[in-house]
C-alpha cells in the first residue's frame, strides 16, 4: 500500500517561514512528478508547486518568489520551503505524487491527508 506522509505544518506569524515535507512509502517502483496543492475552507484547491522527476518546477502565481519546491529521490520525499508567509497562505496543504507501483507497474496519482498551515497577522 502506497501512502504519502506529510509533516511540518503549524502556526507562524506573517513574514515567517515554514518547511513542509512529504514522504512516499510502500510498494514503489518509481516516482514521477511530485507537488503541493492547497485548499482553504469554501475555496477551490489550487496548485502551489510542482516538480518533475527531472527537477523542472512550476509555481502558482501567488507563491512565486516566496516558496521553493525540491525533492530527494533517495528518500522518496518532496519539500516545500515557504518564506515570507502571508495570512492569505493559511490553508490545508496537500502533497501529491505520481507513482509507478511495483510488480504491476501501474501508474497512479496519490494524495496525502493534508497538513494545516496557519499564518497570523
Amino acid at each position: 500500500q502506497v501512502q504519502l506522509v506529510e509533516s511540518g505544518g503549524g502556526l507562524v506569524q506573517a513574514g515567517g517561514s515554514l518547511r513542509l515535507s512529504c514522504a512516499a512509502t510502500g510498494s514503489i517502483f518509481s516516482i514521477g512528478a511530485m507537488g503541493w496543492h492547497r485548499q482553504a475552507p469554501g475555496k477551490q484547491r489550487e496548485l502551489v508547486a510542482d516538480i518533475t522527476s527531472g527537477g523542472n518546477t512550476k509555481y502558482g502565481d501567488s507563491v512565486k518568489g516566496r516558496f521553493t519546491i525540491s525533492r530527494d529521490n533517495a528518500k522518496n520525499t518532496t519539500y516545500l520551503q515557504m518564506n515570507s508567509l502571508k495570512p492569505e497562505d493559511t490553508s490545508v496543504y496537500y502533497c501529491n505524487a505520481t507513482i509507478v507501483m511495483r510488480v504491476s507497474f501501474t501508474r497512479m496519482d496519490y494524495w496525502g491527508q493534508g497538513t494545516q498551515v496557519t499564518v497570523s497577522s
Side-chain angles (χ1 to χ4, degrees):
Q1 181 180 11
V2 172
Q3 290 186 311
L4 299 181
V5 182
E6 301 181 28
S7 63
L11 174 65
V12 297
Q13 291 187 329
S17 297
L18 206 61
R19 190 174 83 153
L20 306 182
S21 299
C22 174
T25 63
S27 301
I28 300 169
F29 176 76
S30 64
I31 301 177
M34 306 183 81
W36 297 87
H37 289 70
R38 66 187 183 187
Q39 185 171 219
K43 296 185 177 181
Q44 292 191 124
R45 185 171 297 189
E46 64 175 342
L47 171 71
V48 176
D50 181 87
I51 184 168
T52 68
S53 60
N56 293 321
T57 59
K58 180 172 63 178
Y59 296 93
D61 290 339
S62 63
V63 307
K64 288 180 179 177
R66 299 188 298 122
F67 291 9
T68 302
I69 187 171
S70 62
R71 64 190 290 165
D72 185 337
N73 291 330
K75 298 180 179 179
N76 290 339
T77 299
T78 184
Y79 305 94
L80 183 68
Q81 179 66 47
M82 304 184 292
N83 299 324
S84 302
L85 283 162
K86 305 174 181 179
E88 306 92 88
D89 296 317
T90 296
S91 187
V92 177
Y93 285 71
Y94 296 90
C95 171
N96 81 284
T98 301
I99 296 174
V100 177
M101 305 289 289
R102 295 186 65 187
V103 181
S104 70
F105 295 97
T106 302
R107 191 177 183 89
M108 298 181 65
D109 292 332
Y110 289 86
W111 291 84
Q113 293 182 313
T115 184
Q116 177 70 46
V117 172
T118 302
V119 184
S120 62
S121 60

